[in-house]
Amino acid sequence: MSLFVTEIFHSIQGESTHSGRPCVFVRLSGCNMRCTYCDTSYAYAQGTEMDIQVIIDQVDACDCPLVEITGGEPLLQAETPALISQLLEQGHEVMLETNGSLDIRSVDNRCIKVVDVKCPTSGETDNNHLENLNHLNAGDQVKFVIGSREDYAYAKNTMSSIGSHLPSDHILFSPVFGQLDPATLAEWMLADRLDARYHLQLHKLIWPDKDRGV
């Protein structure tokens, strides 16, 4: 079994409740969306075909327990759930970041799923598979990337579809980097007493001039 991989790298987790932790990122190739603010368009290309065991060997070489499978859109590749399950079986803590357009039910329940819900600024709102919100575990997370007041209103409205079993601090609001003033989003959330987690892309603050993992 093999997957097309864009890059594997050891860095700091920057876009989840695990932000700040060392993490190994496996960036899989291909994406079915073209978000206006995409910062990983280099992952659209096919990448390098790698056997799952080779991927796991490279992850193990980083000597880091936390692994994130990202993209692109990882679930476009049929063998992604198998990679996740094998990493879990070997004792890794595994996260999946998905753009939210594809059904997440094929993914091992032990995996932490970070599901994007695309707001209007992305240009991809019509491709949200909102049924995913009914299949979240308590450890999963939902992420809204906010670029405008319209996005913020859309995200607040969509929050009502998220079951109460998902902790409110697992609902993430993040400003589009370089487009929405971070303070503005914080002020909106505070004014509304919004019960969600505000967060920034930590890796972009640490390495502002770095545009990819390797």
Side-chain angles (χ1 to χ4, degrees), residues 189-205:
M189 293 176 69
L190 290 170
D192 289 344
R193 305 296 194 268
L194 195 68
D195 192 13
R197 181 189 293 263
Y198 175 96
H199 81 122
L200 297 170
Q201 291 176 296
L202 182 60
H203 55 289
K204 290 189 176 181
L205 301 177

mmCIF file of all heavy atoms in Angstrom, residues 189-205:
data_model
loop_
_atom_site.group_PDB
_atom_site.id
_atom_site.type_symbol
_atom_site.label_atom_id
_atom_site.label_comp_id
_atom_site.label_asym_id
_atom_site.label_seq_id
_atom_site.Cartn_x
_atom_site.Cartn_y
_atom_site.Cartn_z
ATOM 1 N N MET A 189 -15.428 38.118 19.189
ATOM 2 C CA MET A 189 -15.714 36.982 20.058
ATOM 3 C C MET A 189 -16.000 37.429 21.484
ATOM 4 O O MET A 189 -16.914 36.908 22.144
ATOM 5 C CB MET A 189 -14.551 35.991 20.014
ATOM 6 C CG MET A 189 -14.371 35.312 18.660
ATOM 7 S SD MET A 189 -12.923 34.215 18.590
ATOM 8 C CE MET A 189 -13.454 32.890 19.698
ATOM 9 N N LEU A 190 -15.241 38.392 21.971
ATOM 10 C CA LEU A 190 -15.451 38.881 23.325
ATOM 11 C C LEU A 190 -16.784 39.610 23.455
ATOM 12 O O LEU A 190 -17.508 39.438 24.441
ATOM 13 C CB LEU A 190 -14.297 39.798 23.729
ATOM 14 C CG LEU A 190 -12.946 39.107 23.956
ATOM 15 C CD1 LEU A 190 -11.831 40.143 24.101
ATOM 16 C CD2 LEU A 190 -12.999 38.194 25.175
ATOM 17 N N ALA A 191 -17.124 40.416 22.434
ATOM 18 C CA ALA A 191 -18.378 41.170 22.477
ATOM 19 C C ALA A 191 -19.578 40.226 22.496
ATOM 20 O O ALA A 191 -20.591 40.515 23.152
ATOM 21 C CB ALA A 191 -18.459 42.107 21.276
ATOM 22 N N ASP A 192 -19.457 39.098 21.811
ATOM 23 C CA ASP A 192 -20.558 38.140 21.740
ATOM 24 C C ASP A 192 -20.515 37.088 22.845
ATOM 25 O O ASP A 192 -21.382 36.208 22.884
ATOM 26 C CB ASP A 192 -20.538 37.426 20.386
ATOM 27 C CG ASP A 192 -20.948 38.333 19.242
ATOM 28 O OD1 ASP A 192 -21.531 39.401 19.512
ATOM 29 O OD2 ASP A 192 -20.680 37.977 18.079
ATOM 30 N N ARG A 193 -19.521 37.188 23.715
ATOM 31 C CA ARG A 193 -19.341 36.166 24.751
ATOM 32 C C ARG A 193 -19.321 34.773 24.106
ATOM 33 O O ARG A 193 -19.904 33.816 24.630
ATOM 34 C CB ARG A 193 -20.458 36.230 25.811
ATOM 35 C CG ARG A 193 -20.647 37.591 26.471
ATOM 36 C CD ARG A 193 -19.427 38.015 27.281
ATOM 37 N NE ARG A 193 -19.720 39.133 28.169
ATOM 38 C CZ ARG A 193 -19.554 40.424 27.841
ATOM 39 N NH1 ARG A 193 -19.102 40.730 26.625
ATOM 40 N NH2 ARG A 193 -19.830 41.371 28.704
ATOM 41 N N LEU A 194 -18.634 34.650 22.974
ATOM 42 C CA LEU A 194 -18.653 33.416 22.200
ATOM 43 C C LEU A 194 -17.899 32.314 22.929
ATOM 44 O O LEU A 194 -16.737 32.483 23.306
ATOM 45 C CB LEU A 194 -18.025 33.650 20.820
ATOM 46 C CG LEU A 194 -18.288 32.557 19.784
ATOM 47 C CD1 LEU A 194 -19.759 32.538 19.392
ATOM 48 C CD2 LEU A 194 -17.424 32.791 18.547
ATOM 49 N N ASP A 195 -18.550 31.181 23.107
ATOM 50 C CA ASP A 195 -17.955 30.059 23.831
ATOM 51 C C ASP A 195 -17.206 29.169 22.842
ATOM 52 O O ASP A 195 -17.679 28.114 22.421
ATOM 53 C CB ASP A 195 -19.045 29.267 24.550
ATOM 54 C CG ASP A 195 -18.468 28.267 25.542
ATOM 55 O OD1 ASP A 195 -17.259 28.365 25.858
ATOM 56 O OD2 ASP A 195 -19.221 27.383 25.998
ATOM 57 N N ALA A 196 -16.033 29.634 22.433
ATOM 58 C CA ALA A 196 -15.186 28.923 21.482
ATOM 59 C C ALA A 196 -13.745 29.333 21.756
ATOM 60 O O ALA A 196 -13.484 30.239 22.559
ATOM 61 C CB ALA A 196 -15.582 29.261 20.048
ATOM 62 N N ARG A 197 -12.815 28.656 21.099
ATOM 63 C CA ARG A 197 -11.390 28.938 21.317
ATOM 64 C C ARG A 197 -10.854 29.815 20.186
ATOM 65 O O ARG A 197 -10.978 29.470 19.001
ATOM 66 C CB ARG A 197 -10.595 27.636 21.362
ATOM 67 C CG ARG A 197 -9.083 27.834 21.609
ATOM 68 C CD ARG A 197 -8.304 26.535 21.423
ATOM 69 N NE ARG A 197 -8.636 25.548 22.430
ATOM 70 C CZ ARG A 197 -7.913 25.343 23.545
ATOM 71 N NH1 ARG A 197 -6.823 26.061 23.765
ATOM 72 N NH2 ARG A 197 -8.272 24.413 24.396
ATOM 73 N N TYR A 198 -10.248 30.937 20.551
ATOM 74 C CA TYR A 198 -9.543 31.791 19.594
ATOM 75 C C TYR A 198 -8.121 31.264 19.447
ATOM 76 O O TYR A 198 -7.471 30.926 20.431
ATOM 77 C CB TYR A 198 -9.498 33.225 20.112
ATOM 78 C CG TYR A 198 -8.691 34.192 19.286
ATOM 79 C CD1 TYR A 198 -9.299 34.999 18.331
ATOM 80 C CD2 TYR A 198 -7.316 34.318 19.463
ATOM 81 C CE1 TYR A 198 -8.559 35.897 17.577
ATOM 82 C CE2 TYR A 198 -6.568 35.196 18.704
ATOM 83 C CZ TYR A 198 -7.194 35.992 17.766
ATOM 84 O OH TYR A 198 -6.455 36.879 17.020
ATOM 85 N N HIS A 199 -7.648 31.175 18.221
ATOM 86 C CA HIS A 199 -6.251 30.781 18.079
ATOM 87 C C HIS A 199 -5.630 31.362 16.816
ATOM 88 O O HIS A 199 -6.326 31.757 15.873
ATOM 89 C CB HIS A 199 -6.097 29.254 18.116
ATOM 90 C CG HIS A 199 -6.399 28.557 16.833
ATOM 91 N ND1 HIS A 199 -5.483 27.757 16.206
ATOM 92 C CD2 HIS A 199 -7.503 28.538 16.060
ATOM 93 C CE1 HIS A 199 -6.009 27.265 15.090
ATOM 94 N NE2 HIS A 199 -7.231 27.721 14.992
ATOM 95 N N LEU A 200 -4.325 31.436 16.820
ATOM 96 C CA LEU A 200 -3.531 31.935 15.706
ATOM 97 C C LEU A 200 -2.694 30.796 15.145
ATOM 98 O O LEU A 200 -2.466 29.786 15.811
ATOM 99 C CB LEU A 200 -2.617 33.070 16.165
ATOM 100 C CG LEU A 200 -3.303 34.323 16.690
ATOM 101 C CD1 LEU A 200 -2.272 35.261 17.326
ATOM 102 C CD2 LEU A 200 -4.061 35.047 15.587
ATOM 103 N N GLN A 201 -2.218 30.948 13.917
ATOM 104 C CA GLN A 201 -1.321 29.961 13.317
ATOM 105 C C GLN A 201 0.076 30.169 13.916
ATOM 106 O O GLN A 201 0.877 30.964 13.423
ATOM 107 C CB GLN A 201 -1.310 30.120 11.804
ATOM 108 C CG GLN A 201 -2.627 29.729 11.154
ATOM 109 C CD GLN A 201 -2.616 29.982 9.659
ATOM 110 O OE1 GLN A 201 -2.516 31.123 9.222
ATOM 111 N NE2 GLN A 201 -2.712 28.927 8.872
ATOM 112 N N LEU A 202 0.355 29.426 14.964
ATOM 113 C CA LEU A 202 1.569 29.636 15.746
ATOM 114 C C LEU A 202 2.826 29.524 14.899
ATOM 115 O O LEU A 202 3.774 30.299 15.061
ATOM 116 C CB LEU A 202 1.610 28.629 16.899
ATOM 117 C CG LEU A 202 2.796 28.727 17.857
ATOM 118 C CD1 LEU A 202 2.840 30.094 18.539
ATOM 119 C CD2 LEU A 202 2.709 27.623 18.905
ATOM 120 N N HIS A 203 2.860 28.575 13.977
ATOM 121 C CA HIS A 203 4.064 28.372 13.167
ATOM 122 C C HIS A 203 4.377 29.596 12.303
ATOM 123 O O HIS A 203 5.541 29.863 11.999
ATOM 124 C CB HIS A 203 3.916 27.124 12.299
ATOM 125 C CG HIS A 203 2.703 27.114 11.437
ATOM 126 N ND1 HIS A 203 1.434 26.963 11.947
ATOM 127 C CD2 HIS A 203 2.548 27.252 10.090
ATOM 128 C CE1 HIS A 203 0.566 26.998 10.945
ATOM 129 N NE2 HIS A 203 1.208 27.176 9.816
ATOM 130 N N LYS A 204 3.334 30.355 11.920
ATOM 131 C CA LYS A 204 3.567 31.547 11.107
ATOM 132 C C LYS A 204 4.133 32.697 11.940
ATOM 133 O O LYS A 204 4.781 33.600 11.401
ATOM 134 C CB LYS A 204 2.284 31.968 10.405
ATOM 135 C CG LYS A 204 1.866 31.000 9.306
ATOM 136 C CD LYS A 204 0.721 31.530 8.486
ATOM 137 C CE LYS A 204 0.409 30.587 7.342
ATOM 138 N NZ LYS A 204 -0.698 31.081 6.488
ATOM 139 N N LEU A 205 3.885 32.652 13.231
ATOM 140 C CA LEU A 205 4.477 33.654 14.112
ATOM 141 C C LEU A 205 5.930 33.308 14.420
ATOM 142 O O LEU A 205 6.781 34.194 14.553
ATOM 143 C CB LEU A 205 3.670 33.741 15.411
ATOM 144 C CG LEU A 205 2.192 34.115 15.249
ATOM 145 C CD1 LEU A 205 1.496 34.097 16.601
ATOM 146 C CD2 LEU A 205 2.043 35.466 14.580
#
